[in-house]
Amino acid sequence: MTGAGGWGLILAMAAITFALRASFIVLQDRIRVPALVRRGLAYVPAAVLGAIVAPAFVQLGGDADVVTQAPRWAAGLVGAAVAVRTQNMVAVLVAGMLTLWGVQALLG
Amino acid sequence: MGGAPNGDGTTFAAGFREGMRDALPIMLAVTPFGLVVGVAAVEVGLPVAQAIGMSYIVYAGTAQLAALQLIAVGSPVAVILVTTLLLNLRFVLYSAAFAPHLRAAPGWLRVVMAFLMTDQSMALGSQRYGRFPERGAKVAHYLGVAVPMGVVWTTSSTLGVLLGAGLPTGLSLEFAVPLVFLTLWVVAMVRGTAPVWVAGAVAGGVAVLARPLPFNLGLLVAAFAGIAAGLVWETRRGPAPRPSGAATARRGPTP
């Protein structure tokens, strides 16, 4: 996967990604959006963010042991609490990382 | 600022600056992610030019990281491309959500804005655009978030490539990325209506359960489950007092 083959792969990935990004922004005048889709767009940010966030903190299944999971859970809970109270990203980053490091240190 | 889409340099500069200010904490959080992707590209054996070029041309961190992992295990090109398509399908949703807000921009600028689209610009835009009645300001804000984000992403992943595996891995700095998304999620829900809350919560729960699905399909399944739940909740409460026609069409992602 090096040389010309590597560049081909990178260009193909780029083309796919750009087509998806450009779809509505570039072609919007030529696409008719059904009413249901338009209503659904109001829920895109919360839904997509939830789908990205939750599995990063909570992982069920075979590879989920408490020692590796606990620091993430703690950091997630503390981070969420700080986020609700302050809505301040820097505060969440500081509180979350400190919690992660603290619990990691406690669990050795 | 000859390219100012609304022809008003002052407004454009103000919107751009506000976007930069909003994006500042996110840029700090993206830096470790960029470093990680750069290091990973070198570790799977990509030549330096390709390892760096990928971040400039593809410009999609999650898909890049996934592709690098697939290269490492010797996956065929077709699998890598399908994975890229699936991981980035969410951009179609963002594109549809952004389109009504960015209508003020000329065609070439819309191409640039599409190329620079990220999860972060979607999240910040959905928070902010309600406050900008004027569309030119939204374009300025979008670029104020997106341009510095592009600079930080390419710079940090280039640094990752150049520093290689010499970076400390014990600090879990890459954990900053989920913390950023956590903040944006909480803010979207706290400021949203009840159906928005339902959409976010359902999507989170489904995503945890659907994580074992291949190719990160769980993310899309969860997102659509959340959107559907929001729509069902909205409908169940009876028809919302929603303005019809053009006003609705322009509203986009802001609740």
Side-chain angles (χ1 to χ4, degrees):
Chain A
M1 196 60 67
T2 55
W7 281 118
L9 174 71
I10 290 171
L11 286 175
M13 286 178 66
I16 291 169
T17 306
F18 177 73
L20 298 171
R21 283 172 162 146
S23 53
F24 281 89
I25 287 185
V26 174
L27 300 175
Q28 54 183 319
D29 301 328
R30 272 160 274 175
I31 305 178
R32 284 201 60 77
V33 185
L36 182 68
V37 174
R38 225 160 40 211
R39 277 170 52 207
L41 292 179
Y43 307 115
V44 168
V48 172
L49 288 169
I52 292 174
V53 166
F57 290 93
V58 184
Q59 282 149 22
L60 308 174
D63 53 344
D65 72 294
V66 174
V67 174
T68 52
Q69 294 286 299
R72 291 172 161 259
W73 295 339
L77 286 175
V78 170
V82 174
V84 169
R85 281 199 69 87
T86 67
Q87 302 192 9
N88 180 321
M89 194 172 290
V90 177
V92 174
L93 277 173
V94 171
M97 291 308 295
L98 288 178
T99 308
L100 185 80
W101 291 331
V103 177
Q104 276 174 345
L106 278 178
L107 295 174
Chain B
M1 223 13 109
N6 56 356
D8 182 342
T10 320
T11 315
F12 184 86
F16 193 91
R17 265 200 309 275
E18 188 167 349
M20 279 183 71
R21 257 201 314 277
D22 286 348
L24 200 59
I26 296 185
M27 289 186 238
L28 290 178
V30 162
T31 304
F33 190 29
L35 289 170
V36 166
V37 169
V39 171
V42 174
E43 280 180 348
V44 299
L46 282 191
V48 169
Q50 288 178 16
I52 293 174
M54 196 180 204
S55 280
Y56 282 83
I57 308 174
V58 181
Y59 189 49
T62 314
Q64 286 174 235
L65 203 54
L68 293 170
Q69 277 160 6
L70 290 172
I71 292 173
V73 298
S75 299
V77 168
V79 170
I80 299 175
L81 293 182
V82 170
T83 304
T84 304
L85 176 73
L86 293 174
L87 278 178
N88 289 337
L89 263 185
R90 67 189 191 285
F91 286 133
V92 175
L93 295 178
Y94 301 172
S95 194
F98 271 126
H101 292 292
L102 304 181
R103 207 165 266 165
W108 66 268
L109 191 55
R110 281 195 242 158
V111 169
V112 172
M113 289 193 293
F115 182 76
L116 293 175
M117 178 191 295
T118 60
D119 296 304
Q120 289 82 3
S121 46
M122 182 278 300
L124 286 178
S126 67
Q127 271 180 35
R128 285 290 194 202
Y129 288 172
R131 294 197 5 244
F132 297 129
E134 190 223 331
R135 290 191 195 173
K138 295 175 185 176
V139 172
H141 185 274
Y142 184 97
L143 290 169
V145 172
V147 172
M149 186 68 76
V151 172
V152 169
W153 176 255
T154 49
T155 307
S156 59
S157 58
T158 301
L159 263 181
V161 170
L162 298 180
L163 295 175
L167 287 163
T169 49
L171 288 177
S172 314
L173 287 178
E174 71 283 354
F175 195 67
V177 175
L179 283 172
V180 164
F181 284 118
L182 175 70
T183 314
L184 296 169
W185 184 37
V186 167
V187 170
M189 306 238 285
V190 167
R191 293 188 185 164
T193 55
V196 170
W197 208 96
V198 170
V202 167
V206 172
V208 169
L209 297 175
R211 194 176 66 96
L213 291 180
F215 306 128
N216 213 11
L217 269 178
L219 189 150
L220 286 174
V221 170
F224 279 109
I227 293 166
L231 284 171
V232 167
W233 193 267
E234 174 193 302
T235 312
R236 212 180 56 93
R237 313 246 95 186
R242 208 172 327 107
S244 58
T248 314
R250 282 171 196 162
R251 211 168 40 164
T254 310

